[in-house]
Amino acid sequence: MSESDPAPPAAREQINGLSFGMLLLSPDHIIMQANPAAESLLGRSSSRLSGKSFLDIVNFARPDLTDRLADTETQLIARGVDVRVGNRDLRVNITLSTLANHPGWRMATLSDASQGERFEDHERRGQLRGPAVLSHEIKNPLAAIRGAAQLLARKVGEGEKALTGLIADEVDRIAQLIDRMQRLGRERAEPVGPTNLHSAIHRAFETVRISSDPSVAWREEFDPSLPPVLANEGALVQVLVNLMVNARDACSTVVAPQLIVRTRFVSGIVMNVIRLGRPVKLPIEIQISDNGPGIDPAIRDDIFEPFVTSKTNGQGLGLALVQKLVRDMDGRVSHERDESGGWTHFRIHLPMAR
């Protein structure tokens, strides 16, 4: 290296720059060091993690994994592992690596299993193209059926007009469902640009508030210093409207319904976007929380899939559309249930505008 060449970053700086959490564990499983990404994922500062037992901080749902982690000679690679960290339930990818020259010492890496774009997404998008084509073919005869119902309404008596009205209403309902399916199957993403996050939130809030019961208590906890996000404003407003409506409906059955919208800057959130061929940092977080009873555990892992819903008259397309629109903006959306506090959280992470 010549004198003019810059010195490479020190090992500690390199570790702090990693997008996944890294912990140094002593032979008795004590956390000795933690990088910023680990602090973000585990929700504690390095000083609060240091000196704590790893197995006290991260509780594994599978006893066999806990047994394997307790063996200091074990090297482990596991994906999609369910863990509990404090009051949060997470699904993580974990690796444990032994240090050859330091018996018993290990490096643990942790990452949110929902951060990366799943390889099966390409297959899923291909599957969605079929319904989109089918939707187009269905809408033509629907228009004919509606027209026929309108013609009949002019010729029948008052008693039969209710039936023709029912036909027209059902045709309209199916047409609206098909419109949503077409949006879901659309491959071309809307263009993105610098977007004022809080302006989009206020637009969504005004839209939802008009049709909301005044008994719902809305609260905002914003970080006013956040920079513009890289997003499509119309798509972002649609995403926020869908999530706010879901949160409002979810808490409508409790005695004192509450809905909180938070924004903040977070570090260490990165998504590997296959379409771009590179990782994208997602430091801007929007969190929409409600104190309703939460999502049925039987469908909790599949709520972003089309036609999955717990609503009696739901179509199961709202959250699938939310996920598509967020991913079109190179962001990610996730959810979490805090059983002890009685809150459901939906989080959107977006990139900053350059």
Side-chain angles (χ1 to χ4, degrees):
M1 180 185 299
S2 66
E3 293 183 0
S4 61
D5 291 334
R12 185 65 185 175
E13 293 175 308
Q14 296 177 41
I15 292 173
N16 287 346
L18 293 173
S19 61
F20 53 84
M22 179 170 283
L23 304 168
L24 174 62
L25 305 182
S26 71
D28 51 355
H29 324 302
I30 300 299
I31 300 172
M32 306 304 293
Q33 295 181 12
N35 72 346
E39 295 177 311
S40 177
L41 182 63
L42 300 178
R44 300 191 185 191
S45 66
S46 180
S47 60
R48 292 183 61 199
L49 289 171
S50 182
K52 301 290 193 305
S53 170
F54 177 68
L55 295 176
D56 287 341
I57 298 295
V58 181
N59 297 301
F60 290 83
R62 289 171 48 187
D64 62 309
L65 281 179
T66 303
D67 294 339
R68 292 175 66 186
L69 289 165
D71 182 358
T72 58
E73 302 303 318
T74 294
Q75 297 201 61
L76 176 67
I77 300 176
R79 297 183 60 83
V81 176
D82 291 322
V83 300
R84 188 163 183 82
V85 178
N87 294 325
R88 297 182 300 149
D89 292 316
L90 302 176
R91 179 161 291 176
V92 300
N93 301 324
I94 180 172
T95 67
L96 274 179
S97 304
T98 58
L99 302 178
N101 297 326
H102 300 275
W105 288 79
R106 288 177 294 175
M107 297 298 301
T109 66
L110 293 166
S111 63
D112 189 336
S114 64
Q115 281 189 16
E117 287 260 336
R118 297 177 300 176
F119 287 105
E120 59 266 27
D121 283 343
H122 290 286
E123 180 182 352
R124 178 170 172 263
R125 288 172 183 167
Q127 293 170 348
L128 290 174
R129 285 197 292 272
V133 173
L134 182 61
S135 299
H136 178 75
E137 296 300 320
I138 291 175
K139 290 184 77 173
N140 289 332
L142 278 179
I145 293 171
R146 197 183 198 288
Q150 289 175 330
L151 288 174
L152 282 173
R154 298 173 187 173
K155 299 178 180 181
V156 299
E158 289 299 322
E160 289 78 15
K161 281 187 178 181
L163 295 176
T164 58
L166 176 63
I167 294 172
D169 290 344
E170 284 301 294
V171 166
D172 289 342
R173 184 184 65 82
I174 296 171
Q176 291 172 3
L177 173 60
I178 290 172
D179 286 339
R180 297 182 76 182
M181 288 177 63
Q182 286 181 313
R183 288 195 68 188
L184 192 60
R186 189 180 302 158
E187 291 187 56
R188 180 177 296 178
E190 298 292 335
V192 297
T195 301
N196 185 310
L197 177 63
H198 297 124
S199 174
I201 293 174
H202 284 135
R203 277 185 57 191
F205 171 69
E206 290 301 322
T207 300
V208 178
R209 187 182 63 171
I210 293 173
S211 59
S212 296
D213 191 301
S215 66
V216 179
W218 296 72
R219 192 164 85 235
E220 297 176 350
E221 297 179 5
F222 292 169
D223 180 350
S225 67
L226 291 181
V229 296
L230 190 63
N232 178 278
E233 184 172 5
L236 180 56
V237 171
Q238 181 63 59
V239 165
L240 294 168
V241 166
N242 284 14
L243 292 180
M244 287 181 186
V245 167
N246 283 352
R248 179 202 65 192
D249 293 347
C251 66
S252 62
T253 58
V254 302
V255 175
Q258 298 180 61
L259 194 154
I260 304 174
V261 182
R262 298 184 176 94
T263 62
R264 64 170 185 157
F265 187 92
V266 296
S267 61
I269 304 296
V270 175
M271 184 171 71
N272 295 313
V273 181
I274 296 174
R275 176 177 58 81
L276 298 178
R278 60 178 173 82
V280 175
K281 293 182 178 180
L282 307 174
I284 308 299
E285 180 182 279
I286 313 164
Q287 178 176 293
I288 298 174
S289 307
D290 69 81
N291 66 337
I295 300 165
D296 183 350
I299 63 170
R300 194 172 289 171
D301 292 338
D302 302 312
I303 60 169
F304 292 109
E305 297 298 323
F307 311 114
V308 174
T309 181
S310 59
K311 294 183 179 180
T312 303
N313 299 314
Q315 298 166 348
L317 292 176
L319 288 178
L321 180 59
V322 163
Q323 185 179 66
K324 181 195 183 304
L325 294 176
V326 171
R327 286 184 171 176
D328 283 349
M329 294 182 282
D330 297 328
R332 73 155 188 157
V333 59
S334 59
H335 72 96
E336 173 189 317
R337 177 64 182 172
D338 176 6
E339 293 292 355
S340 61
W343 289 88
T344 298
H345 308 290
F346 276 82
R347 296 188 179 90
I348 304 166
H349 293 99
L350 294 169
M352 287 191 305
R354 294 184 178 180

